Amino acid sequence: MNYKLNIMSKYSFILVLLFFVGCTTSTPKFKPVNPDATPEAKALYYRLLKLQDMGVMYGHQDDLMCGYTWWYEPGRSDIKDVVGDYPAIAGFELGEIETGQERSLDSISFAQITEMVKFFHQKNGIITISWHAINPITSQWTHRKISPNGPGSAWDIKKFDAGRYAEPESVEDFEIKAESLNAVKSILPNGENHEMFNGWLDILSDYFLTWTDDNGKLIPFIFRPWHEHSGTFFWWGRERCTDEEYASLWRYTVDYLKNKGLNNILFAYNTDKVYSLEDFLRGYPGDEYIDMLSIDWYGQGEEFNKLIDIALDFGSKEAQERGKLFALTECGNIGLDLVEILKKYPVSHFLTWRHAPLRADWASNPMMIERMEKWNDQLKQMYDDPHTLFLNDILDVK
Ligand code: BMA
């Protein structure tokens, strides 16, 4: 037989064999779900995947926007003040951008957020975005002024009050449930607030479209809208809408942003505390919409350690099986035992919440000073642990 042909058939045999082996193993394909993802979004995804194998990144909300004793000093960070390095991930909050105002629910200027997004991206840090959007129904009730965290806000799940919350014993009667005044349903197609919601998404997209790097490319980031829906405290949470409506809200949001040309976003599905895999996946919009699965959980102590261990176990396994990234996207000022638990699982990052500036008398209160010293001490130990990654640890990881 012709020597060349012989070689060729050998190769074909090997190729066919490889093909069948490939078909029988069901390794999930880790890749960004958006087929039109920008090269920068793809690079962020694969970078996150690589980093997830190296350790767990530390993230901090509003890290660059404010600290316990300061307000917007560009480049300053409470974390850097303590350990000399920035967290690997910086979180920013966009609540109330949908109203068209210049500052967020936390009085943070959106223009300044843009500056810090660009600053941190240039430093090769990773950006994650949350959005506590106002309640589309109650925010329109004329007798209420939207108040951050109160009436008209993301947390407003009350049917009626004349400018103040109902007495605690009657709260149940006043809660907005899926069967009445369903805020999520009201913004979905055919809902009475649908056009208003499109307007919100237009404002949000126009803002995101201004986040460009020096070459005019859209900065890639993680977006975590409609978060913590396993809790009942936001208008998009459990009991406030059905699981299917929640999933539709997600799909609508993702499709809308993509249609605006925002192919630079990785989307994180995110629950609050969850006690089983089934619980975790209630309302899941589908694998084709989600790049990262994540959980938020604040707590400390034995019971917390036990429950978070279980949740990180089933959550990270599910993420691996579906080919998704996985993270603990919010937690309180953590105890070091949580860091030990995190080491057991492939977790991209954990993020502690914002250091809202303290009132002067509170900042100088000995109890508060002691609490901050303890936290700073833990932070330093965390920083020294090679498993926890800060900005300097990830700079060169492409
Ligand atoms: C919450 C609190 C609020 C804040 C909100 C959005 O958990 O910190 O004070 O308005 O996050 O950042």
Side-chain angles (χ1 to χ4, degrees), residues 13-37:
F13 175 73
I14 291 170
L15 280 177
V16 169
L17 198 71
L18 283 176
F19 174 75
F20 279 113
V21 170
C23 288
T24 49
T25 53
S26 59
T27 334
K29 198 103 188 79
F30 281 90
K31 60 171 193 217
V33 287
N34 180 355
D36 301 320

Side-chain angles (χ1 to χ4, degrees), residues 61-62 93 105-106 130 132 148-149 155 298 330 353-354 356:
Q61 182 72 4
D62 276 354
E93 163 62 36
L105 78 169
D106 299 320
S130 54
H132 291 80
N149 317 143
W155 291 262
Y298 288 76
E330 277 186 47
W353 205 239
R354 62 198 299 258

